[in-house]
Amino acid sequence: MAERAPIVTIGGKGSSLSSSSLLSIANSTALVKIDSSILDKLSPNAPLSSTTPLPQPNTSPSFLTLEQSRAALVVLLNKLVNSTKGIRPVLPNLIVETLNRENLDLGVLDWGSELGFLESVLGLSGVGSEGFGLTDEELGVLGDLKNVVLGGICGLLDCSASALSRVADAVAALSCEALRADVSNVVNVVDSGDGTAAKDDAAVASDLKVLLLGSKLVGRVKADAVSEIPEVHGSFREVVRFVHSRTRVELNFGVRVGKGESVLKGGKALVTTFASLAQNLQFVGEGSLWRSKLICDSIDDARTRSWLLELFDKNFGSSGCFLGGLQMVSDPALFVNFLGETYKLLVRVINVVAWEGALALFVLERIDREKDKGVGGAVSKTNGETLNVEKKGEKKKKKVVMGKGTAVLRQVIKDRLLKDGGESTDSFEEFNQLTLNFSSFFDPKNVELDEFLKQVKEIVESNETRRLPKIPKGTRDFSKEQMAIREKAFSIITHVFKRHGGSALDTPAFELRETLMGKYGEDSKLIYDLADQGGELCSLRYDLTVPFARHVAMNGITSFKRYQIDKVHRRDNPSKGRFREFYQCDFDIAGQFETMGPDFEVVKILTELLDELDIGDYEIKLNHRKLLDGMLEICGVSAEKFRTICSSIDKLDKQSFAEVKKEMVEEKGLTVEIADKIGTFVKKRGAPLSILSELRQEGSEFLNNSGSTLALKELEILFKALEKSKCIHRVVFDLSLARGLDYYTGMIFEAVFKGATQVGSIAAGGRYDNLIGMFGTKQVPAVGVSLGIERVFTIMEQLHQDKAIRATETQVLVGVLGDDLSLAAELVNELWSGKLKAEYIVNKRIMKLFDRASESKIPWMVLVGEKEQNEGIVKLRNMETKEEVVIQRNSIVEELQRRLRETSL
């Protein structure tokens, strides 16, 4: 070992053993020592155990390599020093001495039993075991030897797989150029935040895009082994990250097995995790293998192609199926063997990726030389088809243009692996040596690999395009055309709210956590909690209703018609039409009024909103919470289960009754009979007055329940008011409507769009008489409606997708022909002073002026050139008819105002 080898310290306050440190010690590239503070805490005088373990035959895994044995020793040392109590310094120091000594045959270590291990490690140091003994605590740690071996192999796998993940991406980028592959579908995978693309797939695609930026080699040949790179390598990245998390716990976990126990606890979780790693390793290896085969096939020189294929077959077989499969194991005795086989698989995959890298570099060097000779591009052959690549080099020598990132990678690899600055040859022997150099270079034990990986990271992160910025999942940006639609919608909504006497209210984007908790039932888990900054515990608001209730209670308000249009946040799983940040448009009426008066008005407001937004056909499903509770009581549901059963019933718009019934019976404890009776009621829906009449017929069970009787009386008043206001045709009385929020106490409703665009619920609301009282001493009844404006926008955008949308309201464009900015400033200022919406442009080319007006869909232009300026006139151009008229310079404002009035009539 080198004299200046780095030293890894085991133990110490807040320290933990990392996979990279374990790998360094296991490969003898670092020395190890125990933190002095830990040595002081050990127990040199701890009494020896009265229990003497029986001698056992050596059952150590026969496949353990020197590296794996050393890794296991490091894990054991970490467990010993972190146990401290009852651990003598002699045993940890003995392990340190063993690890720091050179040329020891650790194959003799017996990992099968406590006594066998002790005798074998003492034997390596030339110390007899007689009288050495073990404390109870030391026996406990040594009783965990199988988990120790598992942990050692896990650490090696973790560090090596992490390195392979980054190497495989870099090599794949070089292969894309060697194959002249079409990467359009590879580099354009984007994490949109709505769940349509995996995060790691998009990250791989982004890295490849940076590495291949500017490449003139890619874009011709289509191949599945290329198009699947983001998916395969992205999945590998994901599982590598999970393996790292699991391994970190495993390396620093306390002792699992006590004296007398033989069960390998914790091994099942590890094997499950690493089985996923093994599967992904096979996918990465297979992809790399097929790209290597395609590169061989693509070489136009028959002789070279022949010996490359011969070498390929010699290493991997003619079919290329060298990887085989690992069988999942359930027997704890085989867990160590399974991880050992997984490690062998990883080594094989590293060799395959090394072969792919060597081939890619070999072919790129050939292409470079052929260009220098003026021969032109190589002929690419894929899947039996020949693709003629441009041969402009026959007329003019052209240097190969690689990607900005891959060009640097190629040079870095050449500097390390090829002689004399690295010009490769077509020699069989030279190429074979190149593959060996690559395998050695990509070996995780190679100290130069870490430096190479740092360079890859720097290339990806410092490339001039860098990584394109992105927005968080479940959020969106809106273009100027989309904002034009949104602003129009907000204007309509605000106008309707003000028509009904609403006053605007603004509340904070975040509230005290205690304000929000306990108000949303099972949906409380979707509340976004903010990090504790050492003060109050806060959360982003989930809706606008609870902050409104808090405001009313806090200020002692007893009557308030309020509206609010603002953003809310929910920690939901993003999907199509479901976001984590979105607008809500709320109108609420708080205070004592005539029975069902406010309820009628909020439903009427909703019909006006949806009608004036002109989205198409819709229906408003309506029910009453007291009627729903009465129904559950009639069916035999206990009162404490009302809310949780309501939550199940509320899923009937997305699931069949059979699925909901299964949930109510198997998860929430209802009997099948009760669930079936609920089913007979929740299937009732139809015209409000018709269903109401049916529920009030003589003999109806609802008439014998006080809560449902009151609900039916209130609904009768509501339906008659809606009928007189000519909007009852929009309402459907639906007994399956439950609304999952805990604070509803009376009427509840939900609007559903019935057009082609599937967006689900677009508005909802109801009465909540007890919510405000939760924040104060006085109950203030309230009812409200909330418009799901984001889904309404989705509908509006679909309706307007074939229509020209103006992103601005600009009425006039002042176009100055020339370069006189002061003239443009003078003219446009007059228009602004006349309250006209105007913009300006100064350019020497007349078509630039016209193009600007056309692109922005500005209806009028004022044109001024040198001639017009000298004569005191301007030209007024109608951009739709192309008609131009000359008007006096001093009457421009009045003339434009007149013409705009005429066109607006």
Side-chain angles (χ1 to χ4, degrees), residues 491-601:
S491 176
I492 291 171
I493 293 165
T494 302
H495 183 73
V496 172
F497 286 165
K498 288 185 175 181
R499 184 191 304 156
H500 286 264
S503 300
L505 174 68
D506 187 23
T507 58
F510 54 93
E511 297 274 350
L512 292 177
R513 190 175 301 171
E514 63 191 45
T515 299
L516 303 181
M517 297 308 294
K519 312 299 189 303
Y520 305 107
E522 293 182 3
D523 284 346
S524 292
K525 64 181 180 291
L526 302 181
I527 293 174
Y528 256 118
D529 292 330
L530 299 179
D532 182 5
Q533 302 294 336
E536 300 168 321
L537 297 178
C538 298
S539 302
L540 295 177
R541 61 187 172 207
Y542 177 91
D543 65 7
L544 301 177
T545 305
V546 170
F548 165 66
R550 187 262 310 149
H551 172 82
V552 171
M554 191 174 74
N555 292 281
I557 298 170
T558 56
S559 181
F560 191 10
K561 268 189 176 183
R562 108 46 176 100
Y563 75 86
Q564 185 172 357
I565 301 174
D566 224 324
K567 288 183 176 180
V568 298
H569 301 84
R570 297 184 184 177
R571 195 167 50 86
D572 211 342
N573 289 321
S575 60
K576 186 174 182 180
R578 187 179 293 274
F579 302 97
R580 289 178 169 176
E581 178 189 72
F582 53 93
Y583 271 96
Q584 282 189 340
C585 305
D586 281 22
F587 189 98
D588 292 82
I589 304 174
Q592 297 286 351
F593 297 92
E594 63 283 340
T595 301
M596 301 307 288
D599 305 67
F600 146 71
E601 188 168 5

Side-chain angles (χ1 to χ4, degrees), residues 3 444 527 636 698 715 774:
E3 291 183 6
I527 293 174
E698 187 176 348
L715 289 174
M774 292 183 181

Side-chain angles (χ1 to χ4, degrees), residues 229 511 732:
I229 291 172
E511 297 274 350
V732 175

Side-chain angles (χ1 to χ4, degrees), residues 805-867:
I805 300 172
R806 285 195 64 195
T808 71
E809 297 181 3
T810 305
Q811 299 167 309
V812 187
L813 177 67
V814 174
V816 174
L817 196 60
D819 56 7
D820 192 348
L821 175 62
S822 61
L823 175 59
E826 181 184 5
L827 284 169
V828 78
N829 182 63
E830 291 181 21
L831 301 182
W832 289 336
S833 299
K835 309 307 178 190
L836 294 173
K837 298 170 183 175
E839 297 181 55
Y840 68 90
I841 180 173
V842 179
N843 201 288
K844 295 180 179 180
R845 298 172 60 186
I846 187 69
M847 289 309 299
K848 290 288 185 181
L849 309 184
F850 291 155
D851 289 346
R852 170 70 179 279
S854 298
E855 289 168 3
S856 300
K857 301 178 179 64
I858 300 173
W860 294 94
M861 277 192 74
V862 172
L863 292 167
V864 183
E866 184 178 356
K867 176 184 176 182

Side-chain angles (χ1 to χ4, degrees), residues 151-199:
I153 301 176
C154 286
L156 298 176
L157 277 167
D158 172 32
C159 203
S160 301
S162 178
L164 174 61
S165 175
R166 288 172 285 171
V167 166
D169 293 343
V171 168
L174 291 171
S175 288
C176 288
E177 292 190 309
L179 280 169
R180 302 173 180 267
D182 180 358
V183 296
S184 56
N185 292 330
V186 175
V187 300
N188 292 322
V189 179
V190 178
D191 180 12
S192 60
D194 61 2
T196 58
K199 177 181 177 182

Side-chain angles (χ1 to χ4, degrees), residues 558-761:
T558 56
S559 181
F560 191 10
K561 268 189 176 183
R562 108 46 176 100
Y563 75 86
Q564 185 172 357
I565 301 174
D566 224 324
K567 288 183 176 180
V568 298
H569 301 84
R570 297 184 184 177
R571 195 167 50 86
D572 211 342
N573 289 321
S575 60
K576 186 174 182 180
R578 187 179 293 274
F579 302 97
R580 289 178 169 176
E581 178 189 72
F582 53 93
Y583 271 96
Q584 282 189 340
C585 305
D586 281 22
F587 189 98
D588 292 82
I589 304 174
Q592 297 286 351
F593 297 92
E594 63 283 340
T595 301
M596 301 307 288
D599 305 67
F600 146 71
E601 188 168 5
V602 295
V603 176
K604 176 61 178 173
I605 287 171
L606 178 55
T607 63
E608 291 180 9
L609 287 173
L610 298 180
D611 288 342
E612 294 186 29
L613 289 169
D614 196 24
I615 62 171
D617 197 14
Y618 65 90
E619 69 176 19
I620 300 172
K621 297 190 292 185
L622 190 145
N623 200 359
H624 198 294
R625 205 58 179 271
K626 288 186 174 66
L627 183 65
L628 193 62
D629 289 349
M631 178 192 78
L632 295 178
E633 187 177 342
I634 291 167
C635 292
V637 179
S638 57
E640 64 270 14
K641 289 188 176 181
F642 280 6
R643 294 289 76 86
T644 186
I645 297 302
C646 281
S647 176
S648 296
I649 294 173
D650 197 41
K651 299 174 183 177
L652 282 169
D653 61 335
K654 304 179 185 70
Q655 300 178 7
S656 66
F657 180 73
E659 293 173 303
V660 172
K661 175 183 173 181
K662 183 179 180 181
E663 179 181 308
M664 292 191 294
V665 173
E666 296 182 3
E667 298 180 22
K668 300 188 176 179
L670 293 190
T671 65
V672 173
E673 293 75 19
I674 291 176
D676 286 336
K677 191 168 184 179
I678 291 173
T680 62
F681 286 122
V682 297
K683 293 174 184 177
K684 294 183 183 295
R685 74 185 306 271
L689 292 173
S690 175
I691 297 295
L692 180 67
S693 176
E694 180 182 341
L695 297 180
R696 299 183 70 181
Q697 285 178 351
E698 187 176 348
S700 171
E701 292 180 273
F702 287 101
L703 299 179
N704 298 322
N705 182 278
S706 59
S708 58
T709 300
L710 175 61
L712 291 172
K713 288 180 180 178
E714 291 182 348
L715 289 174
E716 180 181 19
I717 298 170
L718 173 65
F719 293 156
K720 287 182 177 179
L722 293 173
E723 184 179 35
K724 291 296 183 182
S725 65
K726 296 180 172 50
C727 64
I728 197 169
H729 65 288
R730 294 293 194 183
V731 178
V732 175
F733 192 179
D734 189 340
L735 267 67
S736 71
L737 181 66
R739 302 290 297 151
L741 301 183
D742 281 0
Y743 53 66
Y744 286 126
T745 58
M747 174 199 70
I748 50 177
F749 58 89
E750 183 176 274
V752 179
F753 179 61
K754 297 173 70 175
T757 305
Q758 298 298 313
V759 293
S761 170

Side-chain angles (χ1 to χ4, degrees), residues 140-159:
V141 175
L142 293 182
D144 202 22
L145 287 177
K146 289 185 178 178
N147 278 318
V148 164
V149 175
L150 279 177
I153 301 176
C154 286
L156 298 176
L157 277 167
D158 172 32
C159 203

